[in-house]
Amino acid sequence: MPESAPAGLSLAPDLDSEAMETTDSSLPSGAAASLAGRLLDNRYRLDSLIARGGMATVYLATDTRLDRAVAVKVMHRALADDPEFVARFTREAKASARVSAPEVVAVHDQGTDRDTGLAYLVMEHVRGINLRQLIQERGALPPARAVSLMTSVLRALAAAHAAGLVHRDIKPENVLLADDGRVKVADFGLARAVESSNLTQTTGLLIGTVAYLAPEQVETGNADARTDVYAAGVLLWELLTGSPPYDGDSPLSVAYKHVHEDVPPPSSTVGGIPPALDELVVRATRRDPDARPLDGGAFLADLLAVEQSLPATAATVASVVQHQTLVVPRIPPPVKPKAAPRKRRRGLIATAIVVVLALLALGGGYYLGSYRYTSAPRVLDLTVAAAETKLKAAGLSTKRAPDTFSETIALGHVLKQSPEGNGRVRKGGTVTLTVSKGLDRRRVPQLANETVAVATQKLRNAGLGVATTSRREYSETVAKDTVIRTDPAAGAGLKPGSVVTLVVSKGKPPVQVPDVTGKKQSDAERILDNLGFKVAITEVFSDTVTRGVVISHSPASGTADKGSTITLTVSKGPDVIRVPDVTGKKVADATQILTDLGLLVKTRSFPGGNGKVLSQSPEAGKEVRRGTTVTLYVF
């Protein structure tokens, strides 16, 4: 038979098996004890090495703050130097801590040592052995003992799956048997943490222990609660038979068998396994994930139903296989010939009662377990009518849950079902269907000419977000600080919460101010008006610029907003005054008249006069510039 792995896939079997590797015989010297005696974060003293694996080293340690023994798992340096792995390891440690169940090894603390930079996980210290050591010592276990151990394992898995956590590496090494009889499952989530690390150099690197890998893990690397169910089914197979169902010359050959061969019933290897238990192991290890129990909780319910139906002699028969048979000398009974037939009859009656009770127990267990239940057909992505028809044909009724939007399932098709496809449901029971409402799309509202505040509120009312910064553009038609348009445009359909950018007006675009200095006022006004400016006029006298000609303007250059005002300074020509006639007036009066007009006055008086102006220069009626001196001749 040819053996090949899927393209791009490498096997990394038993990547983290520190739970089974002891410090005495399997650890490299030097590396094993490198941290013994160190105090992590001034709290956890690493006393001695317990085990070492592909990811981490486990130490027996003392919590010096609480004075209690703990187990500290310290990540290897190569992994601790990878920030992505450390971040994922932290998240997985927190997720593991959320799994609250007596059957799960408790997580007390997690951190990164400040001195060494090594990530570590502080866990409950469990004194005892692991399930691998038990199998190596005892071999195949009696069905009742195997079921009892698996019940604890499945309780741990049920709690983990309910918390949304997938173990990914169920194997005997990760099941701890405490000295006080407790069963604990360890190492939740660590395989997932390694899978996300940058150290996964080969595309499609497969994380897990090859003997317990589900086919979908080998083919695609995907894992969910059903892959844990597969591994747990293989583990139950091993407990009942003493070895895993597949072996081979290489990990690749074992993985090949998981993908291409059905796990045989354990009864094909050992005898004395009840049919109901045999069938459950086969169902838990189906190659099709949908054919297995849905998760750890479903597997546990099935196992408890099987446990109730186990024959009373099952444990006794299987135990004889594993333990030495003792030969006890037979003691002959007292001779009472007449009483013998009566005792034989009593023995027959007692035997008959035992057989009847056993049959009733088997029948009751079957009725309480498999008989009352059936599998719900898978109806996902079917139309409602087709789903109801399929479920009705299976003897089941339906009810509708509120419809829900979906990005993947078309409008009017089944989005969810409860129980899920192939899940257990009472015969004649009800399957709840959630139907897709199709894509949830929110329309971008029309926001042109709205203020930014109003536009923002309308977008939020529509279930959309607003970009933290808007784009600003000039507009000939939209007022400044109001919305021109949106990006995406109005009417576009977007997912809820999608961000929309507002394009906001900066007003009309600026215009270059032309130089109209030296132009006639009328020409300058016409030029500016054509460019969209308003014009204001200021007139001043000028001795150098002709009347009606622009002396200057403001702004003098650069750009200005269209519609803004340009102020023109226009010449009124020279400031000219017509000299009044002040002859015959008293000097004081004449002087007042001339100075009021802006003229300067100089007098020349002759003796013997009466103090009145006889003549003036310039003469009356002559036009002179303001500030000209007028001479008065007084007699």
Side-chain angles (χ1 to χ4, degrees):
M1 177 182 296
E3 297 179 357
S4 61
L9 179 65
S10 297
L11 292 175
D14 206 12
L15 196 64
D16 185 28
S17 58
E18 62 268 22
M20 65 166 288
E21 297 178 1
T22 62
T23 58
D24 293 336
S25 61
S26 61
L27 296 174
S29 61
S34 60
L35 294 178
R38 181 178 293 275
L39 187 65
L40 296 183
D41 281 343
N42 293 319
R43 178 172 180 177
Y44 302 106
R45 186 181 67 243
L46 306 182
D47 297 326
S48 61
L49 197 61
I50 297 177
R52 181 180 176 86
M55 283 195 320
T57 303
V58 182
Y59 294 89
L60 175 62
T62 300
D63 181 347
T64 59
R65 185 178 301 170
L66 300 178
D67 192 24
R68 67 175 175 182
V70 294
V72 176
K73 176 172 288 188
V74 182
M75 308 313 299
H76 291 335
R77 168 64 65 182
L79 293 173
D81 289 339
D82 181 353
E84 182 181 352
F85 172 81
V86 174
R88 183 64 182 271
F89 175 66
T90 301
R91 292 194 298 271
E92 293 297 340
K94 291 179 180 178
S96 300
R98 291 201 309 267
V99 182
S100 178
E103 296 81 11
V104 175
V105 174
V107 175
H108 297 319
D109 194 8
Q110 179 275 329
T112 301
D113 183 53
R114 289 186 292 271
D115 295 333
T116 63
L118 295 173
Y120 64 87
L121 186 65
V122 181
M123 303 172 294
E124 170 188 7
H125 178 232
V126 180
R127 294 185 178 276
I129 63 174
N130 61 46
L131 201 53
R132 172 68 67 201
Q133 294 167 306
L134 179 67
I135 295 172
Q136 289 173 343
E137 293 175 3
R138 302 284 183 86
L141 300 179
R145 176 59 172 155
V147 169
S148 175
L149 291 172
M150 280 306 301
T151 298
S152 296
V153 173
L154 292 177
R155 290 188 194 279
L157 280 183
H161 294 166
L165 189 64
V166 179
H167 191 290
R168 296 192 178 196
D169 199 18
I170 291 294
K171 58 185 177 183
E173 290 81 0
N174 286 335
V175 180
L176 308 181
L177 308 178
D179 292 341
D180 58 6
R182 294 175 299 153
V183 179
K184 295 273 189 175
V185 178
D187 287 346
F188 274 90
L190 295 185
R192 177 181 296 176
V194 172
E195 192 171 39
S196 68
S197 171
N198 291 333
L199 296 177
T200 306
Q201 298 175 353
T202 304
T203 302
L205 179 62
L206 185 60
I207 302 302
T209 305
V210 68
Y212 308 90
L213 289 175
E216 63 269 21
Q217 284 180 284
V218 177
E219 291 182 305
T220 66
N222 295 331
D224 58 18
R226 296 170 299 179
T227 59
D228 282 351
V229 167
Y230 184 93
V234 174
L235 179 58
L236 180 55
W237 204 101
E238 185 173 0
L239 291 175
L240 293 169
T241 64
S243 62
Y246 300 132
D247 58 10
D249 297 332
S250 67
L252 185 62
S253 64
V254 176
Y256 183 92
K257 292 180 180 179
H258 280 289
V259 174
H260 298 287
E261 297 180 13
D262 292 323
V263 174
S267 60
S268 63
T269 301
V270 298
I273 297 177
L277 182 59
D278 213 33
E279 185 275 332
L280 179 58
V281 174
V282 171
R283 184 155 56 87
T285 53
R286 294 286 190 194
R287 284 185 288 168
D288 179 6
D290 290 336
R292 304 172 201 150
L294 180 64
D295 55 21
F299 194 178
L300 175 62
D302 292 343
L303 187 63
L304 291 175
V306 168
E307 186 178 31
Q308 294 177 357
S309 66
L310 287 178
T313 57
T316 304
V317 174
S319 298
V320 174
V321 178
Q322 296 301 322
H323 302 285
Q324 183 177 0
T325 302
L326 298 178
V327 180
V328 181
R330 184 179 180 183
I331 301 175
V335 178
K336 293 184 179 180
K338 294 182 179 180
R342 185 174 180 182
K343 288 187 177 181
R344 283 196 297 271
R345 286 195 300 272
R346 289 178 179 175
L348 290 174
I349 293 172
T351 300
I353 292 173
V354 170
V355 171
V356 170
L357 290 176
L359 291 174
L360 289 174
L362 285 172
Y366 175 69
Y367 174 75
L368 293 174
S370 302
Y371 176 76
R372 292 192 301 167
Y373 291 89
T374 185
S375 294
R378 180 182 173 88
V379 295
L380 296 181
D381 207 14
L382 297 180
T383 64
V384 176
E388 290 176 342
T389 299
K390 187 173 182 179
L391 291 169
K392 184 177 181 180
L396 300 172
S397 59
T398 61
K399 69 176 181 179
R400 292 277 293 273
D403 293 356
T404 303
F405 290 109
S406 172
E407 293 292 319
T408 57
I409 303 300
L411 174 68
H413 288 231
V414 176
L415 174 62
K416 297 178 183 178
Q417 67 177 94
S418 179
E420 296 187 4
N422 299 309
R424 279 164 49 98
V425 61
R426 284 179 179 271
K427 293 179 180 179
T430 300
V431 176
T432 301
L433 303 180
T434 302
V435 179
S436 171
K437 293 168 64 176
L439 301 175
D440 185 4
R441 292 295 180 265
R442 309 299 173 89
R443 297 293 174 186
V444 179
Q446 177 59 254
L447 301 175
N449 297 304
E450 300 283 7
T451 65
V452 173
V454 171
T456 299
Q457 189 58 51
K458 286 187 175 182
L459 286 172
R460 288 174 178 167
N461 292 344
L464 299 171
V466 184
T468 53
T469 57
S470 59
R471 294 210 307 264
R472 300 185 69 87
E473 297 179 359
Y474 292 106
S475 173
E476 293 283 357
T477 58
V478 179
K480 186 177 181 179
D481 295 329
T482 56
V483 176
I484 301 173
R485 63 181 183 279
T486 57
D487 184 15
L494 304 178
K495 291 181 181 179
S498 297
V499 173
V500 176
T501 299
L502 300 177
V503 182
V504 180
S505 173
K506 295 198 292 183
K508 294 181 179 180
V511 180
Q512 187 72 32
V513 177
D515 185 4
V516 293
T517 304
K519 296 184 181 296
K520 291 182 179 181
Q521 178 182 334
S522 59
D523 293 339
E525 288 180 340
R526 176 173 44 78
I527 292 171
L528 295 173
D529 184 66
N530 289 339
L531 292 174
F533 293 117
K534 297 176 183 178
V535 179
I537 303 297
T538 300
E539 292 184 322
V540 297
F541 292 107
S542 175
D543 293 337
T544 59
V545 179
T546 306
R547 181 184 180 89
V549 174
V550 176
I551 300 173
S552 64
H553 51 83
S554 177
S557 62
T559 60
D561 291 339
K562 186 178 290 188
S564 61
T565 299
I566 307 297
T567 301
L568 300 179
T569 302
V570 180
S571 173
K572 295 196 296 182
D575 190 0
V576 177
I577 300 172
R578 190 180 297 275
V579 179
D581 184 4
V582 293
T583 58
K585 296 182 180 297
K586 291 181 178 181
V587 173
D589 294 336
T591 299
Q592 184 65 48
I593 293 171
L594 293 172
T595 55
D596 286 346
L597 293 173
L599 298 172
L600 301 177
V601 178
K602 184 170 68 172
T603 61
R604 287 187 178 184
S605 300
F606 296 92
N610 57 6
K612 292 183 177 181
V613 178
L614 178 63
S615 65
Q616 63 185 64
S617 179
E619 66 273 15
K622 188 174 181 178
E623 290 185 345
V624 297
R625 291 181 179 176
R626 190 181 300 275
T628 300
T629 300
V630 177
T631 302
L632 301 179
Y633 297 93
V634 181
F635 294 92

